Amino acid sequence: MEIGLKGSIPTFAGGLGVLAADLMRSAADLSLPAACVTVCWKHGYLHQHIRPDGSQDYEDMEWNREKELERLPERVTVKIEGRDVVVGVWVLKLQSHVEGSALSGRGQKARSSAGVPVYFLDTDVPENSPQDRAICDRLYGGDQAMRITQEVVLGFGGVKMLRALGHKDITYFHMNEGHCSFLTLELLRERGFKDDEVRKSCAFTTHTPIKAGHDEFGYDLAYRIVGDGLPWHIKKLAGENALSMTELAMSLSHYTCGVSKVHGQVSSKMFNRPIDSITNGVNHIEWASPEMQELFDELIPNWRKDPLQLLKMSRDIPDDKLWKAHQKAKKKLLTLVNASQGEHPFSEDVLTIASARRVVPYKRPELLYTNLDRLRQVGDGKIQIIHAGNAHPHDQFSMDVIRHMIEQSWELRGCIKIAYLPNYNPDLAKLLVSGADVWLNTPTRLHEASGTSGMKACLNGVLNLSTLDGWWIEGYAMDPEAGWRIGPLASSLSPDDTRQIDAEDLYTQLQYQVIPEYNYEGRARWLRRMKRAIGLMGYFNANRCVLEYWEKAWK
Ligand SMILES: *Cc1c(COP(=O)(O)O)cnc(C)c1O
């Protein structure tokens, strides 16, 4: 449903789309014979303005499809409420960043570097009525009827379009989240309604342990919109009481996984069936700052093609070179921050903590401000803080959280510098995950499926300070020197008690670990941690992740 390739193609809301882009980039880098299908949202996902009082405006992010994508002539039709709706398509080709293929030698299916096409489906074509042209207007913008209509376009339309584009011989269809799982129904039709014939070539990844993140539609609505597209045994596949897109995907997949070890287990419990896990990764070339790229090019031969080298070689990076590259990236970020900072600019010599993410309740972005007196006591003059993050405009609670954080930053004025940068997107993320010293992440345990921004930080030698959830359970276990944890691994306390304990531990970590280590003469321990963090990226990269998919789901 979303892909986050870059800020100028705003067809994504957050981590799900950014991850999809990274996996496809790595598929291209590895010369895998893959293609990706998504939707061309005409009005891009939401530009955030922050008013002086901390309240926010969100408006469509207009973008230029003609400039960013190539229109292809192919057309297919899907049935929606009994009428034919025409679906067109655009393409963007991802080319390999690296010479040669990691899979050549493994032979059979790997092809030479033809690139990975990303197809953007679109109903905004002259053949359609104005009403149907508007189906692909906005990502996550409509009601249930609009959502299921969009999912018909993506699922049924996606398979048909791949056929029309000449991809007749597809071995595996991988469903990334349940939004696209109608594709199984189109395959059922192609394959004489034999479940097993569909199941053997489908695989599925679930991306959230939060109930509301899984689309469910009432059968009245589903029959009205999808009609004959639903097979006679749909309730057996997708649930008796409501059509669950996740159940549908799982029923017709030979392999299902979550996106971190803990998320695989949580999902198994939630859906009461065995669900494996493949821990996410980020594309190591995409997310390394220009300064780090230069450093790695000089010191870590072959890191672009073989990111495992980051694990093997990062410990040998000389301290002075690493610090210089980091400070350069930090300077870039602080230049941006200071452009809006007025008379109290951020300093390159002060420990800089960044915390940026889509603002939703479970991520608890306000945890740092639980006890302002304590924060003042710990951080006065010793830390500066940068935030960014958008809320969904229908989520008043999260918009209020942002406003409240901004109000609290005024209370700390004169003591701790705090900036809230508007309009978090991958371009801003790149500056933040490379230019900060510490990456702060405070999700409620068992709610963060994986998280990927912390991996981007590691790659740039930025140290994670995070509650143990999602990928960080694994990262911290692999190398506790690569950053810090907040609070215990699991908690049986109430959410409010847990919040108090986590906040208290966050202040303690800052006071006794993070701030002193940053300020020790020579920063030896800090620099060692930076190298350990980079080392973790030998594992938490998207090349490893895609190859794990290849081994477990596509072979
Ligand atoms: C990486 C990234 C995300 C996902 O980060 P989380 O760790 O899941 O919060 C979201 N938005 C943008 C713009 C990103 O670059």
Side-chain angles (χ1 to χ4, degrees):
M1 200 79 148
E2 49 174 301
I3 190 163
L5 290 162
K6 48 181 169 168
S8 56
I9 307 182
T11 59
F12 61 100
L16 181 65
V18 176
L19 174 77
D22 269 8
L23 296 179
M24 290 303 105
R25 280 191 195 98
S26 284
D29 288 351
L30 293 162
S31 300
L32 295 188
C36 171
V37 180
T38 183
V39 176
C40 185
W41 305 106
K42 180 176 179 180
H43 302 291
Y45 196 83
L46 304 182
H47 189 284
Q48 178 197 48
H49 295 281
I50 301 180
R51 297 201 202 87
D53 70 353
S55 62
Q56 309 116 61
D57 273 325
Y58 294 89
E59 54 186 46
D60 292 341
M61 184 119 134
E62 297 310 334
W63 64 294
N64 190 336
R65 293 175 296 181
E66 283 80 10
K67 182 164 155 246
E68 300 291 342
L69 310 175
E70 181 194 343
R71 175 61 102 178
L72 297 176
E74 280 75 10
R75 295 280 202 270
V76 297
T77 59
V78 293
K79 276 255 187 281
I80 291 167
E81 289 193 283
R83 62 183 190 277
D84 282 333
V85 173
V86 177
V87 181
V89 65
W90 308 72
V91 70
L92 181 144
K93 264 218 165 159
L94 298 174
Q95 298 297 346
S96 174
H97 293 90
V98 291
E99 300 282 302
S101 160
L103 285 187
S104 59
R106 297 199 195 193
Q108 83 283 30
K109 288 176 193 162
R111 242 195 251 150
S112 65
S113 58
V116 168
V118 180
Y119 297 116
F120 292 78
L121 304 176
D122 169 25
T123 59
D124 185 26
V125 293
E127 297 93 311
N128 285 332
S129 67
Q131 178 199 351
D132 289 341
R133 291 186 77 149
I135 292 170
C136 302
D137 268 4
R138 284 181 187 83
L139 171 65
Y140 309 143
D143 58 8
Q144 286 283 90
M146 179 54 97
R147 178 71 78 93
I148 193 171
T149 300
Q150 293 171 335
E151 295 187 1
V152 168
V153 171
L154 179 60
F156 289 95
V159 176
K160 288 183 169 182
M161 185 57 78
L162 285 167
R163 302 307 186 204
L165 289 162
H167 298 291
K168 306 281 185 211
D169 182 25
I170 299 169
T171 334
Y172 291 107
F173 290 83
H174 197 99
M175 289 172 276
N176 202 24
E177 202 44 285
H179 308 124
C180 56
S181 60
F182 283 145
L183 81 80
T184 57
L185 302 186
E186 180 60 19
L187 291 179
L188 268 180
R189 198 193 51 77
E190 281 186 353
R191 298 176 187 188
F193 295 94
K194 296 193 185 95
D195 294 358
D196 288 341
E197 287 298 304
V198 173
R199 199 173 287 122
K200 71 180 187 194
S201 58
C202 286
F204 174 62
T205 304
T206 172
H207 287 265
T208 176
I210 299 181
K211 266 268 175 241
H214 297 266
D215 281 335
E216 272 192 11
F217 301 107
Y219 277 109
D220 286 352
L221 178 70
Y223 274 109
R224 174 157 73 79
I225 306 277
V226 193
D228 293 345
L230 300 179
W232 63 272
H233 60 319
I234 185 68
K235 291 189 175 175
K236 195 177 128 222
L237 299 172
E240 284 297 327
N241 302 320
L243 194 165
S244 156
M245 297 298 279
T246 305
E247 290 288 352
L248 176 61
M250 291 190 296
S251 296
L252 289 172
S253 289
H254 74 96
Y255 179 81
T256 295
C257 67
V259 289
S260 69
K261 288 202 169 73
V262 69
H263 177 233
Q265 284 164 354
V266 169
S267 302
S268 296
K269 269 210 190 118
M270 189 166 154
F271 292 106
N272 199 20
R273 61 165 87 212
I275 294 177
D276 197 26
S277 69
I278 296 179
T279 302
N280 283 341
V282 298
N283 185 278
H284 57 293
I285 303 172
E286 181 68 18
W287 292 100
S289 68
E291 296 76 21
M292 283 296 156
Q293 293 197 16
E294 201 177 305
L295 185 71
F296 297 158
D297 282 340
E298 182 192 335
L299 298 169
I300 306 184
N302 227 10
W303 72 281
R304 290 174 186 265
K305 186 167 164 189
D306 179 12
L308 191 58
Q309 298 301 324
L310 292 169
L311 174 63
K312 296 183 181 149
M313 307 284 291
S314 56
R315 291 185 193 194
D316 299 332
I317 301 174
D319 286 359
D320 56 333
K321 287 193 175 183
L322 180 57
W323 192 248
K324 225 167 142 185
H326 172 66
Q327 286 298 100
K328 252 181 159 171
K330 185 170 179 179
K331 189 169 177 177
K332 258 192 210 163
L333 171 63
L334 296 189
T335 302
L336 175 82
V337 172
N338 286 336
S340 59
Q341 203 49 28
E343 65 216 80
H344 301 291
F346 279 50
S347 159
E348 282 162 48
D349 300 320
V350 173
L351 173 61
T352 302
I353 299 172
S355 167
R357 50 200 35 91
R358 199 165 47 86
V359 178
V360 287
Y362 82 83
K363 297 211 184 219
R364 303 189 299 181
E366 73 295 353
L367 189 77
L368 184 59
Y369 303 108
T370 305
N371 182 342
L372 295 191
D373 287 336
R374 185 88 169 87
L375 180 58
R376 231 180 249 120
Q377 177 207 0
V378 167
D380 191 354
K382 300 192 190 110
I383 58 174
Q384 50 198 14
I385 304 166
I386 308 173
H387 294 289
N390 306 347
H392 192 283
H394 297 159
D395 180 0
Q396 189 61 45
F397 182 88
S398 298
M399 288 196 287
D400 288 344
V401 166
I402 295 175
R403 188 175 44 78
H404 194 52
M405 284 168 68
I406 290 172
E407 286 168 359
Q408 282 168 318
S409 75
W410 301 334
E411 284 186 47
L412 292 162
R413 200 163 20 201
C415 161
I416 298 173
K417 289 184 195 113
I418 302 171
Y420 202 111
L421 303 178
N423 203 35
Y424 185 46
N425 67 27
D427 302 323
L428 178 55
K430 278 183 187 164
L431 291 175
L432 287 164
V433 297
S434 59
D437 298 302
V438 167
W439 192 252
L440 175 67
N441 193 19
T442 52
T444 309
R445 286 172 195 75
L446 306 185
H447 285 60
E448 185 79 286
S450 162
T452 51
S453 57
M455 301 173 187
K456 302 167 192 170
C458 274
L459 181 64
N460 292 289
V462 172
L463 303 180
N464 275 270
L465 170 60
S466 175
T467 40
L468 289 168
D469 200 12
W471 85 281
W472 187 235
I473 296 179
E474 294 162 58
Y476 185 77
M478 268 181 210
D479 192 347
E481 291 285 303
W484 302 272
R485 55 125 195 88
I486 300 166
L489 175 58
S491 167
S492 54
L493 299 171
S494 73
D496 283 341
D497 289 343
T498 304
R499 175 181 292 266
Q500 285 306 323
I501 287 179
D502 285 348
E504 204 36 57
D505 195 42
L506 169 54
Y507 299 130
T508 305
Q509 296 282 337
L510 284 173
Q511 184 172 12
Y512 292 102
Q513 301 267 341
V514 182
I515 294 172
E517 278 186 32
Y518 185 82
N519 291 317
Y520 278 146
E521 193 67 37
R523 289 197 184 94
R525 181 113 198 238
W526 191 279
L527 282 150
R528 195 172 79 207
R529 286 189 190 274
M530 288 175 73
K531 293 178 216 178
R532 298 292 192 103
I534 294 168
L536 281 185
M537 295 310 293
Y539 182 78
F540 294 101
N541 63 78
N543 286 34
R544 186 273 311 153
C545 182
V546 166
L547 289 173
E548 207 174 324
Y549 274 109
W550 181 277
E551 295 291 333
K552 290 179 165 175
W554 307 335
K555 215 167 81 168

